[in-house]
Amino acid sequence: MQYFVRRPWDLPHREITEESAYHSRKQHRREFLQVMGIAGIAGATTGLIGCGSEPTLEDLQTTPTGRPPKISASDGTADPNNRTTQELVDPGLPTEVELAVYPAERNDEFQYGRDETPEKAALQYTNFYEFSQEKSSWQLVRDFKPRPWTVEIDGLCDKPMQLDLDDIAKKMTFEERAYRHRCVETWAMCVPWTGFELAQLIQLAEPKPSAKYVRMETVNRPDEMPGINATPDYPWPYAEGLTIEEAMNKLTFIATGIYGKLLPKQNGSPLRLVTPWKYGFKCIKSIVKITLTAEQPKTFWNTLIPERYGFTANVDPQETIPWPQNSEWMLGTNEGFFGGAKRYPTEKYNGYGEYVAKLYVS
Ligand SMILES: Nc1nc2c(c(=O)[nH]1)N[C@H]1C(S)=C(S)[C@@H](COP(=O)(O)O)O[C@H]1N2
Ligand SMILES: [Mo]
């Protein structure tokens, strides 16, 4: 007889019960108690269970986006460093230069072809294993400091460089793109990203002809990201990679914002990759390093479970590993995976074949 030993990392990208199932169970319990006329007790019990109540949109916007007033010196003149009151108290705030990008103009070339996902759903239900394997990382991001931030571009290029968020805001051309997103777990969403084409950033560094791949790395801060120490066997830092042709493709985007505002921490603040024709795990969050390489780089999920998660990872409805990929459900339709949410047919390259199919003709 053969035993299948379940390694801890067989749980990611789960076949186990979704969080939403617990939510609705809790909801049912609350309704039941309300009918029994003991709603007050129901509230208290929910608190004791420890899951808390439904967050507001404000709770989920974990990167503050307000423009605090400029401080002035005691003699009434403007602060010479142009700082704001809140910057002095909390140096983690975005600068005026960063904020000047918003609102970016929408590029109408890209359309969802479906309803836009409610903002709350896209901010509440996230995958970010550095914080948690549950979907509710927004509850664990408090200590994470996405500002100030530096991204390093190195490897096979003539102009290796380090850029901060102001450099990026000044040098890149920003726009808003309405993209579909498809997670390998079969949930999908339609969200407006603010950002710029990765090609712009890579061109700054002047890649050498020998550069065939682009490796990207997430920040590795166990003190700020509780999921890292919780899963010490995982190959941290999270890393992903693209071929240079994929990286230079028009669709390939670096997002700094979502829904016209700065990215919340749980969505990959301050910079995350967006490759809408690939499974979501390629969309690496909170990037600190971009390296041009000659060899295909090792990636997080491919290292952990190579038989499930290939390097290329293009959305493919014919795929049956790790499970059938021929349909998907939309975030915000609440019922979730087990709740009988409406399922839509999945398209090859997530419907972006006109941009990327040419990359894969052999
Ligand atoms: N660093 C890092 N990036 C990551 C992940 C992660 O766990 N860590 N999860 C990936 C997965 S599986 C998906 S589906 C998307 C989810 O993006 P969202 O949470 O903003 O919807 O982020 C991807 N990027
Ligand atoms: Mo995913």
Side-chain angles (χ1 to χ4, degrees):
M1 186 170 165
Q2 228 185 328
Y3 289 93
F4 175 67
V5 180
R6 192 175 255 277
R7 298 166 297 176
W9 50 79
D10 277 314
L11 292 174
H13 288 138
R14 295 186 295 180
E15 298 130 299
I16 61 171
T17 314
E18 294 237 347
E19 193 198 17
S20 52
Y22 296 108
H23 282 319
S24 42
R25 215 195 296 150
K26 200 167 80 188
Q27 187 62 37
H28 292 150
R29 179 181 161 79
R30 199 181 298 143
E31 277 160 16
F32 172 75
L33 291 171
Q34 267 161 5
V35 170
M36 300 297 284
I38 43 176
I41 298 170
T45 316
T46 308
L48 286 176
I49 289 165
C51 294
S53 53
E54 263 300 293
T56 64
L57 182 55
E58 216 170 41
D59 294 333
L60 297 164
Q61 284 165 341
T62 51
T63 296
T65 55
R67 294 167 191 252
K70 287 271 169 354
I71 59 156
S72 39
S74 48
D75 63 0
T77 57
D79 175 56
N81 297 318
N82 216 24
R83 289 163 306 183
T84 58
T85 329
Q86 281 182 39
E87 273 174 306
L88 292 174
V89 178
D90 174 7
L93 277 179
T95 66
E96 290 288 320
V97 177
E98 242 194 285
L99 292 170
V101 162
Y102 298 84
E105 203 176 318
R106 171 77 67 104
N107 182 340
D108 290 324
E109 182 178 336
F110 304 98
Q111 303 288 336
Y112 302 126
R114 276 185 206 166
D115 289 345
E116 183 165 281
T117 298
E119 180 175 357
K120 234 185 115 189
L123 272 49
Q124 188 171 354
Y125 189 102
T126 59
N127 272 334
F128 205 163
Y129 279 65
E130 284 83 340
F131 293 98
S132 169
Q133 299 192 17
E134 301 303 315
K135 304 301 178 195
S136 49
S137 283
W138 66 271
Q139 292 174 311
L140 298 164
V141 297
R142 191 199 56 208
D143 294 338
F144 178 49
K145 292 185 191 62
R147 281 166 188 79
W149 194 265
T150 314
V151 58
E152 182 172 12
I153 311 178
D154 67 359
L156 300 171
C157 59
D158 289 333
K159 291 215 173 113
M161 59 177 74
Q162 291 200 350
L163 299 160
D164 66 21
L165 298 174
D166 280 3
D167 297 329
I168 286 173
K170 285 185 217 150
K171 289 179 201 228
M172 300 291 110
T173 306
F174 284 75
E175 58 181 90
E176 184 175 72
R177 287 202 186 171
Y179 273 168
R180 296 179 292 276
H181 172 103
R182 172 61 155 76
C183 175
V184 74
E185 295 162 337
T186 82
W187 59 266
M189 62 180 181
C190 291
V191 299
W193 303 105
T194 301
F196 52 88
E197 288 177 16
L198 175 62
Q200 283 185 56
L201 192 59
I202 290 178
Q203 268 152 5
L204 279 188
E206 299 182 10
K208 293 184 195 293
S210 53
K212 302 289 182 226
Y213 293 90
V214 180
R215 177 184 185 274
M216 280 162 268
E217 190 178 296
T218 296
V219 76
N220 190 15
R221 296 188 191 157
D223 292 345
E224 298 177 23
M225 303 169 123
I228 296 181
N229 286 335
T231 49
D233 295 339
Y234 283 17
W236 308 110
Y238 198 99
E240 257 306 335
L242 299 169
T243 66
I244 190 88
E245 292 78 18
E246 289 172 336
M248 303 305 273
N249 188 269
K250 181 174 186 178
L251 286 182
T252 307
F253 206 64
I254 296 286
T256 57
I258 188 169
Y259 295 93
K261 283 160 280 184
L262 292 173
L263 279 175
K265 297 178 187 182
Q266 68 274 18
N267 293 97
S269 179
L271 299 165
R272 61 91 59 84
L273 179 69
V274 183
T275 45
W277 76 99
K278 292 179 178 287
Y279 293 118
F281 67 85
K282 297 298 281 188
C283 300
I284 180 171
K285 295 176 168 180
S286 307
I287 300 167
V288 282
K289 201 166 153 116
I290 299 176
T291 308
L292 294 145
T293 67
E295 309 293 333
Q296 181 179 303
K298 282 202 160 69
T299 66
F300 182 86
W301 283 109
N302 187 249
T303 303
L304 214 42
I305 323 179
E307 64 279 17
R308 286 191 182 183
Y309 304 117
F311 178 83
T312 304
N314 291 335
V315 174
D316 182 359
Q318 314 268 51
E319 187 72 68
T320 53
I321 299 167
W323 42 76
Q325 293 293 342
N326 59 355
S327 74
E328 62 205 43
W329 61 274
M330 300 301 293
L331 283 196
T333 58
N334 271 338
E335 296 86 351
F337 189 81
F338 293 97
K342 176 174 173 176
R343 293 190 80 87
Y344 297 79
T346 291
E347 287 181 55
K348 185 146 173 90
Y349 303 123
N350 204 20
Y352 293 100
E354 63 175 300
Y355 294 94
V356 296
K358 58 176 185 253
L359 298 173
Y360 309 104
V361 287
S362 40

